[in-house]
Amino acid sequence: MIQTIIANELNANEQQINAAIELLDSGSTVPFIARYRKEATQGLTDTQLRHLEQRLTYLRELEDRKKVILKSIDEQGKLTDSLQQKIVDAENKTSLEDLYLPYKPRRRTKGQIAIEAGLLPLADELLDDAQVDPETAAQAFLNSEAGIEDTKAALDGAKFILMERFAENADVLQKVRQHLSQSAHVTSQVIEGMETKGEKYSDYFDYSEKYASIPSHRALAVFRGRNEGILNLSLDPSPETSENKSQVCEELIKQALGLRLAATPRDRWLTTVIQWTWKIKLALHLETELFSQLRERSETEAINVFAKNLKDLLMAAPAGPQVTMGLDPGLRTGVKVAIVDATGKVVGTATIFPHAPQNQWEKSMRTLATLCKQHKVDLISIGNGTGSRETDKLVADMMKAAPELKVQKIMISEAGASVYSASELASNELPDLDVSLRGAVSIARRLQDPLAELVKIEPKAIGVGQYQHDVNQSQLAQSLDNVIEDCVNAVGVDLNTASPALLTHVSGLNKTLAYNIVMYRDQNGAFDSRSALKKVERLGPKAFEQAAGFLRVMNGTNPLDASAVHPEAYEVVDKIATSAKVDIAQMIGNSEILGKIELKDLVSDEFGLPTLRDIVKELEKPGRDPRPEFKTAVFKEGVSEIQDLKVGMTLEGVVSNVANFGAFVDIGVHQDGLVHISAMTNKFIKDPREVVKTGDVVKVKVTEVDVQRKRISLTMRLDDEVSAPKSAPAKSQKGKKSPPQKAKPVNANAAMGNAFAEAFAKAKK
């Protein structure tokens, strides 16, 4: 049963799984179930529920496919009890299709033509009788009318019949596939003449690594190299064998078929059939299948990396409701300036030209100071694009010249700001603002509240992914949508200030309902209660149930509307207040009163202890923000270009991206440096996220700088001794073959990978 399989995977009981499936099927969302239906699922987390949701879809598709296959084989009159049981027991789509392969309707093959020519008895005889002589046996099957003019034609026909039979044998497929997936190596070689054009793939010009353990980023790199016509890619079934690499797989085919072949004429003929089976029927088929699985596995890992990084970015600390100036740096085209008030409303814009060729440095300083004074600016948010360090220096000079302004400057990632500027959403939000200024607005707002602003941008444009343009786009989109939904609902949304883009990701809402809410708000003024949502067009009881707990109404008629307590539990809060003999308003935020309440006395069939504890926790700190405290990095003065870096420098930076092999850190020189996983801590770690996450402020030491290749190596182990810089970067050795039994992994500094570095750089633009 599906429930049993998922229960085992999640280490849960079937009652929990059944309850969750029932809730999902009824239209409940994962955030809603995780927070407000803990009694039903006995506390399944949002992570467990996401896995359940994904596996439920897969296993239901598997069950539907089994029904189709059973019907097809039954209609052919070939369904046996044994085959039916094997199909019913199949645990995945691959093993299921292996069982169906011999019965799958297909175009006429050479084997089928041979059967039609009457050669099936010959094939069976040659397979079953070890003493038969192939040439002698074939004499009895000559038939000029069927095109069997000689024994060679007869034996070729028998060979085609057995080749297809062997290649469609589920045991053969399983045994050979298992060997390849466990022992084969992925190998790549540069295509002759493509060395210069494909320099970024130089780490993979002569490369071999075990299929079972090749990391996601390296697998995707070689696939991209192949797609770009730089690399030839193959699967080496016997990396420890220098000659006759097919022999291992041929022996496995014999074992799966139960054949022990000697040197008799029949055995020599059958050995040739098995060799052809591997080379003609199975080698390319299984290589394609395993490469497909490797790509799928690598894409899944890359998507998970992207999802984790996106979550860290969305859940980054907000600066909060402060008047903020956003600066979108530019050189020749000028620096775009936008000021937003504490609610994010645009209150002023300008364009200044402090840099070459205009060089209006003093004038630009005066303009910024005037705007800061006029609008009482608290924070200055500087995008980290072209001209950012020069613009940062401009602001620093302005702050020194006008210390009475008491502003704070922060450099942030501007990834995706240009995408937002040209979007339909930005056009609707800021119709009277020039496209060039909208990016500055986004840069200002994303400092105030990263989550509220970044949800307006297509996730792939935010630039925290790993090969995001190479992976399955629908799977990527679904995963990122899930992350955004979880983050938005974990934080909660102010019903009276949220944009349609933010409301769209609230549990139970969609794009239409989000726009209807904003339209109602524009026409009728601010919502004074959650219950007023019921007046919004097309927002029915189910949508209200799913969404209400995640929407906040500040300073409304009911203080509970500003909390994460669901309206369905307001009655419980009344009982809590009654038992404490205080008003609800007095009870909210009063830990002393709430700590004395005996929750066991309030347990009911609908509200158990988990929900009651959540309610009390929320009443102690209503509407609390789960995001961390706001902190910023301070970039080193005088270090604005990669050429300014020196080995041994200690710098402060911001983690801009985390991959499986390490973390990229923005140290303010327009090129992120890499802290390899081995340089993060003195203890062994499997995942860089055990130490850092996107958005963290960290201290690093420079260990190596390659200006030409724009490579910066960093360490977080600040006590490490660093060697003197090399006079020139080491050149990669091409054409030198490493021992086939050993993988040739990328070294620590190159682990960033030329191809990944390029993909990451593109993603940040």
Side-chain angles (χ1 to χ4, degrees):
M1 283 182 66
I2 289 176
Q3 291 89 334
T4 304
I5 294 171
I6 298 176
N8 290 334
E9 291 175 352
L10 293 177
N11 195 25
N13 61 58
E14 289 188 32
Q15 185 180 355
Q16 291 174 280
I17 305 305
N18 281 324
I21 291 175
E22 187 177 340
L23 286 164
L24 288 169
D25 288 343
S26 70
S28 293
T29 67
V30 166
F32 177 80
I33 298 170
R35 180 173 292 188
Y36 297 117
R37 291 295 180 266
K38 290 182 178 178
E39 280 77 21
T41 67
Q42 299 174 41
L44 289 179
T45 66
D46 54 355
T47 302
Q48 290 175 307
L49 288 166
R50 289 292 181 200
H51 177 85
L52 185 154
E53 187 178 40
Q54 182 182 9
R55 289 291 286 156
L56 181 62
T57 300
Y58 178 89
L59 292 172
R60 281 178 170 173
E61 289 174 354
L62 182 65
E63 289 302 311
D64 290 342
R65 181 62 177 157
K66 287 179 181 179
K67 292 175 184 176
V68 171
I69 288 174
L70 287 170
K71 182 180 178 183
S72 173
I73 299 175
D74 189 39
E75 288 174 348
Q76 297 174 43
K78 299 177 181 178
L79 184 62
T80 64
D81 291 342
S82 174
L83 178 58
Q84 181 174 353
Q85 191 60 49
K86 287 181 180 179
I87 291 172
V88 170
D89 292 341
E91 295 181 352
N92 54 63
K93 294 177 181 178
T94 300
S95 59
L96 179 62
E97 295 301 329
D98 283 351
L99 292 167
Y100 184 43
L101 190 59
Y103 310 96
K104 184 180 291 185
R106 55 181 178 265
R107 292 177 297 177
R108 291 176 75 224
T109 63
K110 290 182 179 180
Q112 288 174 316
I113 294 170
I115 291 173
E116 293 168 3
L119 295 175
L120 180 59
L122 174 61
D124 289 338
E125 182 180 2
L126 290 169
L127 178 62
D128 297 336
D129 189 348
Q131 303 305 317
V132 68
D133 179 74
E135 288 289 337
T136 303
Q139 291 286 345
F141 291 89
L142 301 184
N143 182 349
S144 58
E145 291 183 2
I148 313 299
E149 300 287 352
D150 52 28
T151 57
K152 180 181 183 304
L155 290 172
D156 282 348
K159 178 175 65 179
F160 292 135
I161 292 170
L162 291 181
M163 281 170 59
E164 290 180 13
R165 186 184 300 178
F166 295 164
E168 293 172 353
N169 184 292
D171 292 334
V172 168
L173 288 167
Q174 182 181 4
K175 200 171 191 69
V176 178
R177 183 187 291 116
Q178 184 178 24
H179 165 76
L180 293 175
S181 61
Q182 292 178 353
S183 304
H185 277 213
V186 176
T187 65
S188 65
Q189 294 80 32
V190 63
I191 295 174
E192 188 175 351
M194 301 301 291
E195 290 85 357
T196 301
K197 182 179 178 181
E199 177 62 27
K200 64 188 177 186
Y201 295 106
S202 59
D203 293 326
Y204 305 102
F205 281 179
D206 182 19
Y207 165 81
S208 175
E209 187 159 4
K210 196 170 184 179
Y211 173 88
S213 57
I214 180 171
S216 164
H217 62 279
R218 290 209 279 272
L220 291 174
V222 295
F223 283 131
R224 177 181 281 187
R226 180 180 67 173
N227 293 343
E228 293 182 7
I230 306 299
L231 302 175
N232 279 324
L233 198 59
S234 60
L235 194 66
D236 184 348
S238 305
E240 66 286 335
T241 306
S242 57
E243 296 180 1
N244 194 10
K245 291 181 174 294
S246 301
Q247 187 172 0
V248 170
C249 294
E250 291 164 7
E251 288 298 322
L252 291 171
I253 294 171
K254 294 176 188 176
Q255 292 174 21
L257 295 170
L259 297 174
R260 294 184 179 181
L261 303 181
T264 65
R266 174 268 194 178
D267 285 357
R268 288 196 298 271
W269 180 84
L270 206 52
T271 297
T272 302
V273 173
I274 289 171
Q275 290 172 346
W276 277 52
T277 300
W278 166 247
K279 292 177 181 177
I280 306 300
K281 288 289 186 181
L282 291 181
L284 181 59
H285 166 72
L286 287 175
E287 179 179 276
T288 302
E289 177 189 303
L290 288 173
F291 275 162
S292 177
Q293 291 178 2
L294 176 60
R295 174 176 281 281
E296 184 177 341
R297 183 179 86 204
S298 300
E299 287 183 358
T300 299
E301 182 59 32
I303 289 170
N304 288 339
V305 168
F306 196 154
K308 290 174 183 176
N309 285 339
L310 179 63
K311 180 178 181 180
D312 292 338
L313 193 63
L314 294 176
M315 297 298 283
Q322 302 184 67
V323 180
T324 305
M325 174 184 285
L327 299 181
D328 188 358
L331 297 176
R332 182 182 57 82
T333 57
V335 177
K336 310 303 183 295
V337 185
I339 302 97
V340 299
D341 66 14
T343 67
K345 179 183 177 182
V346 180
V347 294
T349 61
T351 302
I352 55 177
F353 299 90
H355 314 307
Q358 294 90 342
N359 293 316
Q360 298 173 2
W361 192 267
E362 295 297 329
K363 181 181 178 181
S364 298
M365 282 175 54
R366 289 194 300 270
T367 301
L368 291 181
T370 300
L371 289 170
C372 286
K373 185 175 181 180
Q374 179 184 348
H375 297 288
K376 299 180 180 178
V377 171
D378 301 306
L379 301 171
I380 299 179
S381 178
I382 306 169
N384 66 344
T386 303
S388 60
R389 290 314 302 267
E390 296 86 347
T391 304
D392 183 67
K393 186 177 186 306
L394 173 75
V395 175
D397 287 355
M398 185 271 292
M399 291 168 63
K400 288 178 183 177
E404 71 278 4
L405 294 175
K406 296 181 180 178
V407 295
Q408 183 181 4
K409 65 180 177 70
I410 301 100
M411 192 174 293
I412 67 166
S413 170
E414 65 174 34
S418 59
V419 174
Y420 166 76
S421 300
S423 69
E424 182 182 354
L425 179 60
S427 180
N428 292 334
E429 281 192 332
L430 307 166
D432 301 325
L433 210 58
D434 186 82
V435 172
S436 62
L437 290 167
R438 293 173 186 166
V441 175
S442 179
I443 289 169
R445 287 176 174 173
R446 67 176 63 183
L447 183 61
Q448 291 178 322
D449 190 339
L451 177 60
E453 192 62 24
L454 291 174
V455 295
K456 302 175 184 176
I457 302 168
E458 184 183 13
K460 287 184 291 185
I462 296 175
V464 291
Q466 175 183 344
Y467 290 99
Q468 64 254 40
H469 300 292
D470 293 354
V471 303
N472 183 296
Q473 295 300 295
S474 61
Q475 186 181 346
L476 174 64
Q478 182 61 56
S479 176
L480 299 183
D481 283 345
N482 289 344
V483 168
I484 295 171
E485 182 182 39
D486 289 343
C487 291
V488 168
N489 291 287
V491 173
V493 172
D494 188 328
L495 183 57
N496 285 317
T497 62
S499 67
L502 189 58
L503 288 167
T504 298
H505 296 287
V506 172
S507 168
L509 302 184
N510 54 33
K511 191 173 182 180
T512 299
L513 289 176
Y515 275 98
N516 287 351
I517 288 172
V518 174
M519 188 180 300
Y520 180 92
R521 193 173 69 197
D522 291 342
Q523 292 173 352
N524 299 279
F527 288 90
D528 62 356
S529 68
R530 282 170 168 165
S531 59
L533 274 169
K534 297 176 182 178
K535 299 176 183 177
V536 173
E537 184 180 358
R538 300 180 68 177
L539 200 153
K542 187 67 178 181
F544 180 82
E545 175 197 56
Q546 297 294 306
F550 303 104
L551 295 169
R552 310 280 187 267
V553 179
M554 313 309 292
N555 303 313
T557 56
N558 188 333
L560 294 177
D561 285 347
S563 73
V565 177
H566 197 283
E568 67 186 11
Y570 285 2
E571 187 177 336
V572 177
V573 178
D574 288 336
K575 291 180 180 178
I576 293 174
T578 300
S579 68
K581 298 179 181 178
V582 294
D583 293 333
I584 291 177
Q586 292 176 295
M587 183 174 62
I588 292 177
N590 193 323
S591 300
E592 185 178 350
I593 293 175
L594 291 167
K596 296 177 181 178
I597 296 170
E598 289 292 337
L599 296 180
K600 291 184 291 184
D601 299 337
L602 299 170
V603 171
S604 64
D605 293 337
E606 190 175 359
F607 299 102
L609 275 176
T611 296
L612 292 171
R613 291 193 188 104
D614 282 350
I615 290 172
V616 169
K617 187 177 179 181
E618 182 62 24
L619 291 174
E620 286 179 342
K621 294 182 179 179
R624 66 193 182 284
D625 194 323
R627 293 173 290 184
E629 185 182 353
F630 180 67
K631 292 191 298 183
T632 62
V634 178
F635 293 139
K636 192 176 184 69
E637 291 289 339
V639 179
S640 58
E641 302 292 340
I642 190 171
Q643 292 87 347
D644 299 328
L645 294 175
K646 305 294 180 186
V647 171
M649 271 186 175
T650 298
L651 306 166
E652 196 166 74
V654 180
V655 177
S656 58
N657 204 350
V658 182
N660 288 336
F661 50 79
F664 292 93
V665 180
D666 180 3
I667 50 176
V669 296
H670 308 299
Q671 178 65 45
D672 292 350
L674 173 69
V675 181
H676 190 261
I677 188 171
S678 61
M680 287 185 160
T681 177
N682 290 317
K683 66 178 183 179
F684 173 77
I685 55 171
K686 291 184 178 180
D687 186 345
R689 289 170 192 80
E690 295 178 37
V691 180
V692 297
K693 64 179 184 299
T694 303
D696 280 356
V697 176
V698 295
K699 283 192 175 182
V700 294
K701 182 187 287 186
V702 180
T703 59
E704 188 176 344
V705 182
D706 185 338
V707 176
Q708 184 177 358
R709 300 175 76 190
K710 294 185 177 179
R711 294 280 187 87
I712 305 167
S713 295
L714 307 169
T715 180
M716 290 171 57
R717 302 190 314 195
L718 303 181
D719 295 333
D720 282 1
E721 293 290 334
V722 293
S723 57
K726 300 175 183 177
S727 57
K731 293 182 179 179
S732 60
Q733 295 182 352
K734 299 174 187 175
K736 186 176 180 181
K737 199 82 172 177
S738 57
Q741 72 271 20
K742 294 182 180 179
K744 191 166 73 175
V746 186
N747 63 47
N749 289 334
M752 158 165 64
N754 289 328
F756 179 67
E758 181 197 56
F760 179 63
K762 286 181 179 178
K764 292 197 71 179
K765 289 182 180 178

